[in-house]
Amino acid sequence: MADDLASQFADDLAGAVSAGEFDEQLNEFMSGTVVDTWRENSPEDSGSYKDSVAVIDEATAGKGRVGATVEYSNLVEFGSDRVPEYAPRAK
């Protein structure tokens, strides 16, 4: 009985997520918490990197994307042989 209930709950939740019932809350979380935290953990030189962190794809069916859009964002994230990795996305 408990397994049947858990299975039904999981199916209902998966259906609600794929139907987009939580997209508004996910967008609020991404644009507030995720973007703000990413910016707080970002190095600040010119400020361009921090300013480029934004919601790139709003949530659809429970999936969205936040990222940094400046052309050198991969160097900030992963570093190079001359630049240390800051990895603000991972923090």
Side-chain angles (χ1 to χ4, degrees):
M1 173 107 175
D3 288 340
D4 290 339
L5 184 59
S7 179
Q8 181 61 46
F9 178 75
D11 290 345
D12 290 349
L13 182 59
V17 169
S18 65
E21 292 183 31
F22 298 103
D23 289 348
E24 184 176 333
Q25 292 94 328
L26 181 55
N27 285 328
E28 290 174 11
F29 176 73
M30 289 189 305
S31 65
T33 304
V34 175
V35 169
D36 291 347
T37 301
W38 191 328
R39 287 179 178 168
E40 288 171 10
N41 289 301
S42 297
E44 187 167 350
D45 185 19
S46 67
S48 297
Y49 177 82
K50 284 176 109 168
D51 292 342
S52 79
V53 175
V55 174
I56 295 171
D57 294 320
E58 289 198 353
T60 302
K63 296 178 182 177
R65 193 164 61 118
V66 175
T69 58
V70 292
E71 60 189 38
Y72 56 87
S73 61
N74 62 324
L75 292 174
V76 175
E77 280 298 322
F78 306 110
S80 71
D81 56 345
R82 296 180 302 194
V83 177
E85 126 184 344
Y86 289 99
R89 176 179 59 116
K91 296 177 182 174

